[in-house]
Amino acid sequence: MVTSTALYLGFLALLYLERGVELLVSRRNIRLALAAGGVETGRRHYAVMVAVHAVFPLACAAEVLGLQLSRFRVISGDSALTPKDNGSYSSRVSLMVGNAALKSAEEMKR
């Protein structure tokens, strides 16, 4: 039986996929703009955009599952704490991250 919570979490997984595609397109557009003489003002815009794209669906999943964000800790790139990763290539990362978030939310709900 599919519940509204399951549908919503499935929607969030699709949203992760779509946002991953957006990030890939924007990365390509950045390279094209810089190659054409464009100048980026400020620093690290792309990193902020990636963070917003990643955290928003997680916050939505936490809210629907009744979890407090204070229970989450994001570990980024610390090889002492995270397993080896094969890297981020193409759009498979969006699918993997979305499914990982969905699986984690489902396990936490149990």
Side-chain angles (χ1 to χ4, degrees):
M1 181 173 140
V2 177
T3 65
S4 59
T5 300
L7 285 173
Y8 183 68
L9 293 176
F11 167 74
L12 289 178
L14 290 174
L15 181 65
Y16 253 113
L17 180 63
E18 184 268 337
R19 288 192 170 201
V21 170
E22 284 180 15
L23 291 172
L24 291 173
V25 169
S26 68
R27 174 63 87 178
R28 184 199 58 170
N29 289 343
I30 288 170
R31 285 194 298 266
L32 293 174
L34 293 175
V39 178
E40 181 179 11
T41 57
R43 296 179 54 184
R44 310 281 297 155
H45 292 114
Y46 190 76
V48 172
M49 185 170 50
V50 169
V52 168
H53 276 50
V55 173
F56 176 73
L58 286 177
C60 291
E63 182 178 341
V64 78
L65 294 171
L67 303 174
Q68 294 185 0
L69 290 179
S70 62
R71 293 183 61 192
F72 292 91
R73 185 175 71 148
V74 176
I75 301 170
S76 177
D78 187 343
S79 60
L81 300 173
T82 58
K84 180 192 176 301
D85 182 44
N86 292 329
S88 57
Y89 307 103
S90 188
S91 60
R92 78 178 178 92
V93 172
S94 301
L95 182 63
M96 293 171 64
V97 170
N99 284 325
L102 179 61
K103 182 179 178 184
S104 297
E106 288 171 347
E107 288 179 10
M108 291 166 60
K109 188 173 181 179
R110 284 188 233 151

